[in-house]
Amino acid sequence: MAQHARTLLNFNKEWKFYYADTTDLNMEYNQAGFNDAHWRSLDLPHDYSIEQAFNKNAPATADGGALPGGIGWYRKTFTLSQAVAHKQTYIEFEGVYRNSEVWINDHYLGLRPNGFISFQYDITPYLKYGNEKNVIAVKVDNAKQPNSRWYSGSGIYRNVWLITTNQVAVDHWGTYITSSNISDQSATISVNTHIKNILHQPKAISLTTILLDAAGKVVGKKTSVVSDSIIHQDLIVNHPILWSIEKPYLYKAISQVTIDGKLTDEYTTTYGIRFFNFDADKGFSLNGKPTKILGVCNHHDLGSLGAAFNVHAAERQLKILKEMGCNAIRTSHNPPAPELLDLCDKMGFIVMDEAFDMWAQFKAVQFGYYLNWPQWHKKDLEDQIIRDRNHPSVMIWSIGNEVSEQTRESGGMIAKELAAIIRALDTTRPLVTANDAPDTSNKIIKYGGLDLVGYNYHHKDWSKFQQRYPGKKNIITESVSALETRGYYQMPSDSLYYWPDETKNGKKVNATMNSDHTVSAYDQVRAPWASTHEESWKELKKYDFLSGMFIWTGFDYLGEPTPYGWPSRSSYFGIIDLAGFPKDVYYMYQSEWTSKPVLHLFPHWNWNQGQLVDVWAYYNNADEVELFLNGKSLGIRKKNREDLHVMWRLPFEPGTLKAVSRLKGKTVLIREIKTAGKPVKVQLLADKKQMKADGVDLVFITAKVVDGHGNTVPQADNLIHFKINGEALLAGVDNGNPVSLEPFKANDRKLFNGLALAIIQAKQKAGKVTVTASSNGLTSSSIELEIH
Ligand code: GAL
């Protein structure tokens, strides 16, 4: 360990875990001397809810994912070299759900109720060095449920770090970097650096900030005498390369602290140079270029991995969204894992970083955050802003989602207080609340002190925004909430439904839904307050003054199984299912939001002889599509005016369905779907073939079955057994079925509408790994992965 350097040690490995009964109040678990030898050994991040069985009576309810919460204890024993005895040592938790309490060597460090915030403790005064052991104990209490409107997960579900610095160092989240006067010629980079100095004698301390471009070339440098705890420096970067969605260019600032000329700390901040604007008439622009915010809302769970954060799983989600043409993420309704923001910086997503789903007033869940509001909201909000304010991707702070205060006088007062908290820390981003009551009686909007008016839903009112709120800027903070089960189709596809209830003759009545808890994947079902995908998108694209929207949701998530309840336990809202398989409507967005040629034909072609089937195509870059069944043309269709898809209705006959898209008579794309026979063979597809031996890397393997001619069998539900040979483990299995009560931590999974997923996680050893998938009566298949 270099004498000058700070160290950042990943502290995820080798913890002990005990799942305590809620009546087990043994307070020895926090004591350093407690013998935890019989506790389970595990590595973090860890979610102790996801590994349990679904349960109808789970206090979280099906809205919370129907998985148990409860109390979990974690302990870690470690030693520290004598060489760091004179240093400052901190432990940082990126997220613990929830009510964490932490002890080190029998000293109580503190409580943190908020399950989504990152926090750190100074453990220096309590540490032992050399051969003596240190014990850190963490109690996680997620017993009182429901406390969330969606699946929360439980435990130390994000990374933990051990940080060591010298006595003079850049403080925790200690830099704040903004840029101004941005032109082709130059940009002013303003850096505020917070220095923590616990030296007792005065010394000559200085701070040098070095700006590096993406290639590591120095593009700016400034040295200042450290005479105060905050140092302000302005640097000029010539010919700056701007951060954008298409080219997310990142710079680095290296903060070097020296004492009497000797380096004592080095701290790196990644930042980007960009400017953006919301305009009441022209909507949003990035670096001067008009840009619609084409966003999705996501919750934090990663499907079968639960809340346990994994950067590769998050990256996969973002890749799938990027391919769709999505350019923005709303971290609904809480601060995300910090690595998610790093990914958004790197991959080019705009982020609406959200703080709260409720304020001081009760909302929906008995044990929700409103109970912690009085003591914690200021600290939680400040920490989120300080942690996240250097990310170029973050462009909006949302201070609340559909809070009960929208209709109360306190709404304006709290909004004012929260706005002041943020503006004391960052003035470079607009503030918004997501309002499901966005009419002029809304007390938060009426207060007028926020920068954007946020609409949740109400797509029929969007066109009137300028009349309702003259001169105001907007963002559709949440939209759509359409419902779909991947691979399930209900005819006729042009009938529209509101589920679970609809209005008939002015009266609300329960809708007749499907007894097997399916929802058609033709974009034809939406929640009563919501719209189909097509309805909202048609509206949004019409008006320049609408800055953009965040669709509910990009990915299905655990919990909130609207329109159903138990045994459904995950959402139907996603454009992409819980396993990461796109539903058909994904391609509607891709055809509208990207310029790459799209022709998506559906449904599958396995029906009953003579049955009337609706065939849809989403397409772009073409002026017509012709459909053929067994070589016979069924006619040409063209999208008229606002259309987003074309359709043919025809009686089923087995064979080959083929669609050809053409532009001015020239073929652009051809798609074929064949009637499949009985399954004979399992087929595997891996998203990559190589992994790092870091214990974290993941490969996502899709399993399906094919008939004797290699045609995918679309509705297959065969049980697939996965077997791993070599140094890797099965981190989770899934199939995207919101009604499945099969465990996620298992070696087998039924296909659901033809697909299943196995997530393979590297261990820490290089070598070859073989994943084999077998199924009763079928030919097995295997795939080789290389770990290095
Ligand atoms: C919204 C809410 C989301 C989710 C969604 C489902 O009102 O903000 O969290 O519940 O409804 O449609």
Side-chain angles (χ1 to χ4, degrees), residues 169-367:
V170 175
D171 209 348
H172 185 218
W173 301 322
T175 55
Y176 175 41
I177 304 184
T178 56
S179 27
S180 55
N181 304 323
I182 302 168
S183 71
D184 289 348
Q185 267 61 52
S186 67
T188 307
I189 310 301
S190 303
V191 186
N192 275 341
T193 309
H194 294 240
I195 304 285
K196 185 166 181 180
N197 178 357
I198 53 161
L199 283 182
H200 298 299
Q201 324 88 310
K203 296 244 171 139
I205 303 172
S206 63
L207 169 74
T208 301
T209 298
I210 303 167
L211 304 183
L212 304 178
D213 68 10
K217 200 177 114 211
V218 175
V219 293
K221 187 170 177 175
K222 186 150 203 169
T223 300
S224 314
V225 171
V226 175
S227 49
D228 208 341
S229 59
I230 303 178
I231 308 304
H232 181 90
Q233 296 172 313
D234 281 333
L235 294 94
I236 303 291
V237 169
N238 290 321
H239 305 293
I241 301 177
L242 302 192
W243 184 97
S244 67
I245 293 161
E246 302 78 23
K247 189 176 176 193
Y249 193 91
L250 295 173
Y251 288 86
K252 279 198 167 91
I254 313 289
S255 315
Q256 293 182 336
V257 184
T258 57
I259 301 181
D260 296 333
K262 274 213 242 117
L263 192 66
T264 185
D265 192 24
E266 188 166 281
Y267 181 88
T268 304
T269 311
T270 302
Y271 70 99
I273 305 174
R274 85 283 184 272
F275 59 95
F276 62 87
N277 186 42
F278 285 86
D279 184 277
D281 295 318
K282 293 189 238 151
F284 178 77
S285 63
L286 179 58
N287 301 327
K289 180 177 148 194
T291 305
K292 270 251 192 276
I293 295 180
L294 308 173
V296 298
C297 308
N298 275 336
H299 276 312
H300 68 306
D301 77 64
L302 295 166
S304 58
L305 303 179
F309 185 77
N310 180 293
V311 72
H312 303 282
E315 187 181 19
R316 170 184 183 241
Q317 288 200 337
L318 292 178
K319 271 189 190 155
I320 294 171
L321 289 169
K322 192 99 194 172
E323 280 284 297
M324 181 177 96
C326 167
N327 65 21
I329 304 289
R330 173 194 188 197
T331 69
S332 36
H333 304 294
N334 46 261
E339 293 84 0
L340 183 83
L341 298 180
D342 294 340
L343 286 171
C344 289
D345 289 348
K346 270 189 226 156
M347 296 172 75
F349 284 92
I350 295 164
V351 175
M352 178 161 82
D353 196 347
E354 192 154 74
F356 304 114
D357 189 51
M358 69 189 78
W359 290 350
Q361 288 294 329
F362 166 86
K363 176 182 166 189
V365 283
Q366 191 187 350
F367 300 105

Side-chain angles (χ1 to χ4, degrees), residues 47-69 142 145-154 299-301 303-304 306-307 365 556-562 564-571 578 737-744:
D47 173 359
Y48 58 80
S49 292
I50 200 70
E51 53 194 34
Q52 301 193 51
F54 290 108
N55 184 342
K56 186 178 182 189
N57 301 317
T61 76
D63 275 336
L67 288 165
N142 192 17
Q145 293 185 317
N147 58 49
S148 171
R149 294 189 304 109
W150 57 92
Y151 175 76
S152 63
S154 312
H299 276 312
H300 68 306
D301 77 64
S304 58
V365 283
D556 273 337
Y557 52 96
L558 289 159
E560 224 182 16
T562 310
Y564 300 109
W566 176 268
S568 293
R569 45 60 175 169
S570 56
S571 84
L578 195 72
N737 180 3
V739 198
S740 168
L741 299 178
E742 298 162 279
F744 289 124

Side-chain angles (χ1 to χ4, degrees), residues 149-150 297 299 330 332-333 354 357 363 401-402 434 436 456-457 478-483 527 529-530 552-553 557 560 562 573:
R149 294 189 304 109
W150 57 92
C297 308
H299 276 312
R330 173 194 188 197
S332 36
H333 304 294
E354 192 154 74
D357 189 51
K363 176 182 166 189
N401 174 56
E402 300 185 351
D436 59 334
N456 279 13
Y457 307 98
E478 190 174 315
S479 64
V480 182
S481 273
L483 305 164
W529 53 90
W552 193 266
T553 49
Y557 52 96
E560 224 182 16
T562 310
F573 292 115

